[in-house]
Every structure is written in structure tokens, then in C-alpha cells.
């Protein structure tokens, strides 16, 4: 999720742009840049790395300007570098564009621009095509040129555009990615996020989808997709700056839990073509490649490891290939059986976890094909892999991983289904059924998020527990492990997860009156067994909170409380069943007054042994 800012008025644009971008640093980024109208032309300054590098480089020069746009980049296409940083320009350098989002048909546009217009691209980004498209349509009216350009674009975008020949305006467009306008006196502002503008104004226009904005220093015009001007009420921001970064949420973690429908949508939908064939981002896993693979390792740490457990289930189910899942800190020291017929899949949100990176290097040294599922473009794990499958969850700020986990699972399901279809180990009907059900995941996750109140009440009643058990069978036990990690790392409650069938082999000795047991029971073929396990622990006084599909009313007879999820295929249930567990952990930690976003002793990325 990139940061977008724009300014037009009578003050110094450069300092306002830098200041606005500083307020957006929390979103995470890998490079920063700006374009200002100065000395009769457009000046571009952009650098890989921290915003301070940009600020320091321009501090020594006079870039006095009343008009400009600025950007912090979170790379999706093209690794972090100076040339991939925004703004991007047309060939003549008289049109500059900043972009937040993904242009899904950028390759088609880029090929046309190269073949028909002989354009020499300067970057690897999707965003650069926007500047050349606007240039192609420009005939002296920037607003009209932008309308014609966006008509050719598919995907998500919030863009800001300035033009040397019209230095009295900024044109901006919103489609899916957020965009706001700040209303000033003799000046106006543009941003992707409220915190960037709070220092200058609390009066905003929230731009809606498919709307185009024309900003001058004295006038703000908002147009719909048909070019008709629309009226918009002023939105007065009452938040303080700190809560504005969380867009009104109390913590980044709960904000990121609520961002999961979008993350799942973005990770999934951009990898399905119109016939539901899976596009694996240039990853070439041919039938021959797959037939050569006789072993798959999924290696990761923490939550990413738990996503790997679901990945094993999916790959074995759909691709019929044996999979071994291991924590990276163990894999790297056990001299694993790895050779050129091994597919090694590293899973990592940050792409910088040292244990995971070390395990990857060990597998690579032994000849394995290295694939990684990563959320940070250009991170070490990504750079050292043969193939990378990016989760498009956007920056994950909270230490406790949530949206990265669900998008990692989506990536695994796509990979498993791709392998299954390529190897013909699943038939077309089952494949189509599973893809169709995957497409319902964003809405079904949203349905759960629409009922957080009930989970909050449960958390308020249960937050005093000093130990909590999570249990499940089949793929549910993998979700139980993740639910247990979420709870322990942010609430400091001693929790653990077990395969429910293991209760009788020791753990049940710990169950006593009032013990909180969370039973994940979504798998139809294992439900009767789970029911017995629930009865076993309740007979010893446990308080049982079940997670089950909404059509399963049977579970109410034996559980104290049921957190329901929408009906779905058993195979895909983990994508939904983790959501109530994330919410339960979050609200319990809040009730206990814990520092949810920055739990004690933990770091967002563990780059040490
Ligand atoms: C999960 O909530 C934790 N923050 C932690 O277990 C994390 O998943 C682990 O450190 C792996 O991080 P990575 O995904 O960035 O490699």
C-alpha cells in the first residue's frame, strides 16, 4: 500500500510533500519520491530506501515550488530501486504520475506502448504505463487525457498527475485504492490517508470509487466516471493524528484483521484469468517439472509455519505429493534429505526471518528448487528464491501476523490447485468447484467480521483465564495451533494446541473446572470424533468454545458457546475458522490491557538466531 500526497497553493510544496509522506511512513514502504513544478518544468527526485534519503538529497538544492506530488512505494511489480520509485513520467518528462494499487492489465498496455509507440520504459513497474498512456491521449487538456487513459486501465489505483503545460492543477483518480482531498484556504491537498494532511486541515472530501478530481489552489471539482460534476459533503476528521494512522481502529492488529477480505481478494483474484486458470506470476512449474518433484518441504517460522501446515494439507489433497513441513530453526540443522528433485517452499511475511533464510540457503546448496511465498517485494527470501509468489496483503505493521497468514493460505491453495490441475490429480469439476468457493472467501470473511460484537462479549467474559487449550482434528488442528499462538503472543496467556485425539494420551489430566477449551470443529468427516472430545473435556468441567459451520447446529448441544463461520468446503475452512480466533485473541488482549501491536519481547521480523 503506497503513500500518495499532493499539494497546490502558495506555500512551499516540497516541504509539505515530505511532511505528508513522513506521516505515512507507518504504512511501510521501500522507496520515496516527489515531482514538483519548478523553473518552468517538472523536477523529479526519487530514491530507494528511507524517506530521509529523499529529504537529505533535496535539502541542498532549491526546489521551490507551489505544485507537487509525492509518493512512498510498497513494491508490487519491480523490486525496490531508484528507477522503480515513483513518480514516473512520460518520455518527454512533462507529465508525472504517482500511483497506489496494481494495474492488472499493465503488461498488455506496456506491450502496445512498446510496439506501437516505441516507448523505452525506464522502470519495471506497472505504474509507469499510466504516464505514457496519459501522454498518448494528451492534446492540451490533462483532465480529458486522464479520463481516456483510465478507460484503458484495469485494476486498483489511486493516482495523482501533474503536467508541465498546466502547472495550475493536479488531477487525481480513485479506483479501489483510497484517496482523499484536503480542503485548504487558497491551497488544496491530496493524500491516500488522512494522517498526511491533519497538520494542514481537518476538512476532507473522501473520494469514492471511479471518481476523478481536479484540484487548483482555489477550487476542488469532483467528477463521476461520466465526467459529470458531483457534490460531496465535507468530512471533518475528529481523530487525533495517532489514531488516524489506524484509520480509526484502536490498533493496527484489528485494522489488519479487517483488511483480510481485501488482502484475500487481491492475492486471489489477480491470479485467476477469465477462465479460472491460475496464473502463478511467471512461475513456470511444468508437468515435467512436477513429475520430477518427489518431495516438497514447506519451511517457515511461527505463523508462517502454521500457514505451511495448511499448505501441506492442500498440496497433499489436491496435488497428491508428499509434503513435509518444518520450522526453519530445526530444518537448517538436521541435514535434511534434499536434492534436485525437491521443491522447497519458504513462507515468510517479512522475507527477512534469519532462520527461514538460512534454511532456504541450505536447501539451495543441496540442489532443491526454491520457491517462496512472501509479503515484502524484493526482500531477502524473495531475492534468493528461484520463484516467488507474493501475497498482496499490503504492509503488516502489527507484530501479530493476521492478514499475512490468510493470504499465505490463499497462495498455498492456488499453488496446490495449480499443481493438481497440471498433474491431473484433481478433475476439472472439483477444481472449478474449489475455485468458485475460494472466490467467496472475501465475502465470507467479511460476514464474520460483521459480528465481532459477540466475540468481544466472549472475550470480556473469558479474559482472566491463565491457561487456554485449543484443539481440533485434521486441518482444524493446524488452525488451532495458529489460534493458540495469536492468543499467547499478544495476551501472554499460557495456551497451547493439540490434536483432539491426543487428549486421552495425557493432556486431559490438565482439564479442570472452568478450563477454557477452544474446539475447532469444521471437518464434517471428523465431527463425531470432535463431539466426543468436547464431551470428554466438558465432563471434567471445561468451558468449551467451539468454532463450527453455521449449518452445524448439533455442536450447540455440547458446547457452551459456538463461534460460527459461514458454510464452506471442508478443505477451505481454515481461511474462515482462523478469523474468530484472531478476534478472540485480540479482544482478550485488549481486555487484559496488553500492548497489542507491540507485545513484550517480540519483534515484527526476527532477523537474528
Ligand atoms: C506471528 O504472529 C509472529 N509475529 C511470528 O511468529 C512470525 O510469524 C514469525 O516470526 C515469522 O515471521 P515471517 O513470516 O516474517 O518470516
Amino acid at each position: 500500500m503506497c503513500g500518495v500526497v499532493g499539494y497546490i497553493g502558495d506555500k512551499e510544496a516540497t516541504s509539505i510533500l515530505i511532511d505528508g509522506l513522513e506521516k505515512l511512513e507507518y504504512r511501510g514502504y521501500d522507496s520515496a519520491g516527489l515531482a514538483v513544478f519548478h523553473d518552468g518544468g517538472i523536477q523529479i527526485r526519487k530514491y530507494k530506501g528511507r524517506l530521509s534519503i529523499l529529504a537529505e538529497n533535496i535539502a541542498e538544492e532549491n526546489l521551490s515550488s507551489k505544485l507537487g506530488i509525492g509518493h512512498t512505494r510498497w513494491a508490487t511489480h519491480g523490486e525496490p530501486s531508484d528507477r522503480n520509485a515513483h513518480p514516473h513520467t512520460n518520455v518527454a518528462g512533462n507529465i508525472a504520475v504517482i500511483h497506489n494499487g496494481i494495474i492488472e492489465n499493465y503488461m498488455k498496455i506496456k506491450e502496445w506502448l512498446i510496439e506501437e509507440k516505441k516507448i523505452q520504459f525506464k522502470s519495471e513497474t506497472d505504474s509507469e504505463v499510466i504516464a505514457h498512456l496519459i501522454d498518448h491521449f494528451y492534446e492540451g487538456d490533462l483532465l480529458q487525457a486522464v479520463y481516456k487513459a483510465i478507460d484503458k486501465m484495469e485494476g486498483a489505483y489511486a493516482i495523482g498527475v501533474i503536467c508541465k503545460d498546466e502547472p495550475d492543477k493536479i488531477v487525481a483518480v480513485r479506483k479501489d485504492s483510497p484517496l482523499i482531498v484536503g480542503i485548504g484556504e487558497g491551497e488544496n491537498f491530496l493524500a491516500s490517508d488522512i494522517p498526511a494532511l491533519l497538520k494542514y486541515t481537518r476538512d476532507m472530501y473522501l473520494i469514492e470509487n471511479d471518481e476523478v478530481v481536479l484540484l487548483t489552489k482555489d477550487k476542488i471539482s469532483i467528477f463521476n466516471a461520466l465526467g459529470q460534476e458531483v457534490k460531496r459533503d465535507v468530512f471533518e476528521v475528529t481523530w487525533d493524528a495517532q489514531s488516524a494512522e489506524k484509520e480509526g481502529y484502536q490498533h493496527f492488529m484489528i485494522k489488519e484483521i479487517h483488511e483480510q477480505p481485501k488482502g484475500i481478494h487481491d492475492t486471489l483474484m489477480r491470479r485467476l484469468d477469465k477462465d479460472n486458470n491460475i496464473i502463478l506470476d511467471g512461475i513456470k512449474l511444468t508437468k515435467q517439472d512436477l513429475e520430477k518433484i518427489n518431495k516438497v518441504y514447506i519451511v517457515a517460522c511461527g505463523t508462517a509455519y502454521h500457514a505451511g501446515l495448511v499448505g501441506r494439507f492442500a498440496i497433499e489433497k489436491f496435488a497428491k505429493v508428499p509434503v513435509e513441513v518444518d520450522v526453519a530453526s530445526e530444518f537448517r540443522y538436521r541435514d535434511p534429505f534434499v536434492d534436485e528433485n525437491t521443491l522447497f517452499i519458504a513462507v515468510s511475511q517479512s522475507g527477512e526471518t534469519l532462520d527461514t533464510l538460512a534454511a532456504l540457503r541450505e536447501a539451495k546448496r543441496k540442489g532443491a528448487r526454491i520457491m517462496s511465498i512472501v509479503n515484502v517485494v524484493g526482500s531477502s527470501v524473495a531475492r534468493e528464491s528461484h520463484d516467488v509468489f507474493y501475497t498482496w496483503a499490503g504492509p503488516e505493521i502489527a507484530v501479530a501476523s493476521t492478514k499475512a497468514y490468510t493470504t499465505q493460505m490463499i497462495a498455498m491453495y492456488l499453488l496446490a490447485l495449480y499443481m493438481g490441475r497440471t498433474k491431473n490429480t484433481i478433475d476439472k469439476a472439483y477444481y472449478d468447484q474449489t475455485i468458485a468457493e475460494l472466490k467467496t472467501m472475501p465475502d465470507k470473511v467479511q460476514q464474520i467480521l460483521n459480528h465481532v460484537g459477540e466475540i468481544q462479549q466472549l472475550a470480556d467474559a473469558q479474559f482472566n483465564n491463565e491457561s487456554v487449550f485449543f484443539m481440533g482434528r485434521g486441518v482444524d488442528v493446524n488452525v488451532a495451533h495458529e489460534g493458540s499462538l495469536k492468543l499467547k503472543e499478544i495476551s501472554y496467556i499460557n495456551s497451547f494446541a493439540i490434536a483432539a485425539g491426543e487428549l486421552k494420551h495425557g493432556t486431559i489430566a490438565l482439564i479442570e473446572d472452568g478450563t477454557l477449551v477452544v474446539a475447532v470443529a469444521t471437518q464434517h468427516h471428523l465431527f463425531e470424533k470432535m463431539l466426543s472430545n468436547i464431551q470428554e473435556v466438558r465432563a471434567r468441567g471445561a468451558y468449551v468454545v467451539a468454532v463450527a459451520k453455521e449449518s452445524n447446529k448439533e455442536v450447540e448441544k455440547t458446547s457452551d458457546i459456538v463461534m460460527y463461520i459461514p458454510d464452506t468446503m471442508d478443505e477451505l475452512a481454515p481461511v474462515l475458522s482462523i478469523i474468530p480466533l484472531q478476534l478472540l485473541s485480540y479482544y482478550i488482549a485488549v481486555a487484559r490491557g496488553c500492548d497489542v501491536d507491540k507485545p513484550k519481547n517480540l519483534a515484527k521480523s526476527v532477523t537474528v538466531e
Side-chain angles (χ1 to χ4, degrees):
M1 306 246 275
C2 310
V4 161
V5 290
Y7 175 76
I8 184 162
D10 296 322
K11 297 192 186 87
E12 267 315 308
T14 306
S15 55
I16 291 172
L17 297 176
I18 294 288
D19 178 73
L21 292 177
E22 276 170 0
K23 301 296 184 295
L24 301 181
E25 284 196 282
Y26 70 90
R27 298 163 63 109
Y29 66 99
D30 48 58
S31 39
L34 54 77
V36 292
F37 181 74
H38 173 74
D39 244 354
I42 289 182
Q43 295 296 325
I44 304 275
R45 300 291 183 274
K46 57 184 187 174
Y47 302 90
K48 176 186 174 183
R50 307 305 299 164
L51 180 61
S52 54
I53 295 172
L54 172 66
E56 283 153 21
N57 275 286
I58 61 177
E60 286 111 50
E61 59 175 319
N62 161 25
L63 274 181
S64 171
S65 176
K66 308 300 179 202
L67 164 71
I69 50 179
H71 187 268
T72 45
R73 181 175 184 242
W74 170 267
T76 54
H77 293 75
E79 69 171 16
S81 63
D82 292 359
R83 71 192 188 105
N84 286 338
H86 299 210
H88 291 286
T89 71
N90 60 334
V91 172
N94 54 15
I95 293 173
V97 175
I98 53 176
H99 167 225
N100 176 25
I102 293 174
I103 307 300
E104 294 174 5
N105 63 333
Y106 87 95
M107 276 314 285
K108 203 165 70 177
I109 296 172
K110 184 167 183 173
E111 284 158 9
W112 177 80
L113 288 166
I114 292 169
E115 280 153 32
E116 299 299 320
K117 309 279 292 176
K118 309 303 175 214
I119 299 285
Q120 297 280 325
F121 275 76
K122 291 171 271 188
S123 80
E124 305 155 302
T125 66
D126 56 333
S127 309
E128 188 183 345
V129 301
I130 304 170
H132 298 303
L133 260 186
I134 294 170
D135 177 63
H136 169 69
F137 291 113
Y138 187 74
E139 296 171 337
D141 183 333
L142 183 61
L143 182 63
Q144 288 316 310
V146 169
Y147 261 107
K148 290 174 183 169
I150 60 176
D151 188 44
K152 302 295 179 195
M153 289 157 44
E154 294 165 15
Y157 44 86
I159 61 176
V161 192
I162 61 174
C163 172
K164 166 182 171 286
D165 301 328
E166 300 181 52
D168 61 341
K169 64 181 66 127
I170 298 175
V171 176
V173 188
R174 183 205 169 173
K175 184 169 185 301
D176 291 337
S177 296
L179 189 70
I180 52 172
V181 166
I183 307 162
E185 296 283 324
E187 60 184 9
N188 287 307
F189 306 81
L190 191 66
S192 47
D193 238 345
I194 285 171
L197 304 181
L198 283 180
K199 181 176 172 184
Y200 307 101
T201 178
R202 286 185 173 271
D203 294 336
M204 315 267 175
Y205 287 131
L206 305 184
I207 305 307
E208 293 178 11
N209 246 8
D210 298 320
E211 289 184 340
V212 179
V213 181
L214 177 61
L215 283 191
T216 66
K217 74 188 205 50
D218 297 310
K219 192 171 187 304
I220 299 166
S221 309
I222 303 172
F223 303 97
N224 63 20
L226 302 174
Q228 298 152 337
E229 187 155 5
V230 296
K231 285 294 160 224
R232 182 60 36 78
D233 293 340
V234 174
F235 174 79
E236 189 194 352
V237 179
T238 54
W239 301 329
D240 61 56
Q242 228 243 340
S243 63
E245 286 181 3
K246 303 177 191 93
E247 291 169 18
Y249 288 101
Q250 190 181 353
H251 298 100
F252 281 114
M253 183 176 175
I254 191 66
K255 173 172 174 276
E256 288 157 7
I257 288 174
H258 283 269
E259 287 174 342
Q260 291 183 109
K262 182 176 185 322
I264 291 168
H265 172 275
D266 290 354
T267 303
L268 177 66
M269 296 311 289
R270 290 178 183 133
R271 290 178 172 121
L272 294 174
D273 70 12
K274 60 184 180 6
D275 303 319
N276 279 343
N277 298 312
I278 295 169
I279 308 149
L280 278 190
D281 302 5
I283 296 175
K284 292 276 175 290
L285 266 180
T286 63
K287 196 172 171 62
Q288 290 70 26
D289 292 337
L290 290 172
E291 264 144 20
K292 215 176 71 140
I293 290 167
N294 58 19
K295 174 93 181 189
V296 176
Y297 277 108
I298 301 176
V299 176
C301 301
T303 288
Y305 166 73
H306 295 148
L309 294 173
V310 177
R312 170 180 60 192
F313 163 80
I315 294 173
E316 290 186 346
K317 176 84 182 172
F318 297 128
K320 309 296 182 215
V321 176
V323 178
E324 194 171 328
V325 191
D326 207 348
V327 290
S329 52
E330 289 299 311
F331 178 89
R332 60 186 291 203
Y333 295 115
R334 64 182 176 88
D335 192 16
F337 298 112
V338 173
D339 61 23
E340 64 284 353
N341 298 322
T342 305
L343 173 61
F344 177 96
I345 303 174
V347 186
S348 176
Q349 189 284 131
S350 63
E352 299 302 340
T353 299
L354 188 68
D355 280 328
T356 306
L357 195 53
L360 178 155
R361 289 169 178 161
E362 171 70 359
K364 198 172 192 178
R365 186 181 60 79
K366 293 191 166 191
R369 176 160 181 175
I370 308 296
M371 178 182 288
S372 57
I373 295 175
V374 179
N375 196 42
V376 179
V377 174
S379 54
S380 304
V381 166
R383 284 202 311 277
E384 297 189 28
S385 300
H386 299 124
D387 301 301
V388 186
F389 191 123
Y390 284 116
T391 49
W392 282 327
E396 190 174 67
I397 312 289
V399 165
S401 185
T402 52
K403 61 179 184 175
Y405 174 75
T406 43
T407 53
Q408 284 160 357
M409 285 197 283
I410 295 295
M412 299 273 192
Y413 281 119
L414 286 172
L415 177 62
L417 287 163
Y418 177 91
M419 292 167 74
R421 281 303 289 147
T422 308
K423 290 164 53 70
N424 211 15
T425 46
I426 52 171
D427 65 34
K428 183 85 170 57
Y430 183 32
Y431 171 87
D432 289 341
Q433 178 199 0
T434 310
I435 291 286
E437 185 59 22
L438 267 177
K439 287 180 170 179
T440 69
M441 288 293 119
D443 287 346
K444 290 183 174 178
V445 168
Q446 190 57 55
Q447 285 174 40
I448 301 169
L449 295 173
N450 293 342
H451 296 90
V452 295
E454 295 143 35
I455 297 174
Q456 198 166 359
Q457 283 167 15
L458 173 61
D460 291 345
Q462 292 296 330
F463 73 91
N464 264 325
N465 283 283
E466 286 318 312
S467 67
V468 178
F469 291 67
F470 289 76
M471 67 178 187
R473 284 178 177 259
V475 75
D476 282 343
V477 74
N478 303 333
V479 175
H481 278 294
E482 175 55 15
S484 172
L485 174 61
K486 284 286 92 46
L487 182 66
K488 71 177 73 143
E489 68 173 322
I490 62 173
S491 71
Y492 317 137
I493 288 174
N494 180 8
S495 79
F496 67 93
I498 50 164
E502 278 293 288
L503 268 173
K504 55 189 173 297
H505 300 290
T507 316
I508 200 157
L510 291 172
I511 304 296
E512 51 194 30
D513 205 31
T515 302
L516 176 58
V517 175
V518 179
V520 187
T522 70
Q523 301 300 293
H524 181 74
H525 66 297
L526 296 166
F527 181 65
E528 289 309 318
K529 297 288 180 199
M530 272 306 287
L531 222 45
S532 314
N533 295 133
I534 291 171
Q535 285 157 346
E536 279 167 36
V537 295
R538 284 202 81 204
R540 289 159 178 80
Y543 183 86
V544 176
V545 175
V547 178
K549 291 180 195 169
E550 60 194 15
S551 60
N552 177 349
K553 299 307 176 193
E554 180 75 15
V555 71
E556 285 175 8
K557 296 174 190 159
T558 55
S559 306
D560 293 284
I561 284 223
V562 184
M563 298 192 289
Y564 280 113
I565 63 173
D567 285 340
T568 186
M569 292 169 70
D570 279 9
E571 299 89 325
L572 303 182
V575 180
L576 302 180
S577 56
I578 190 57
I579 306 298
L581 302 187
Q582 292 171 343
L583 291 166
L584 183 63
S585 301
Y586 170 76
Y587 287 114
I588 285 178
V590 169
R592 290 169 71 98
C594 297
D595 183 355
V596 173
D597 284 338
K598 297 190 181 75
K600 65 183 178 185
N601 310 331
L602 293 180
K604 182 58 187 169
S605 177
V606 184
T607 54
V608 294
E609 283 230 32

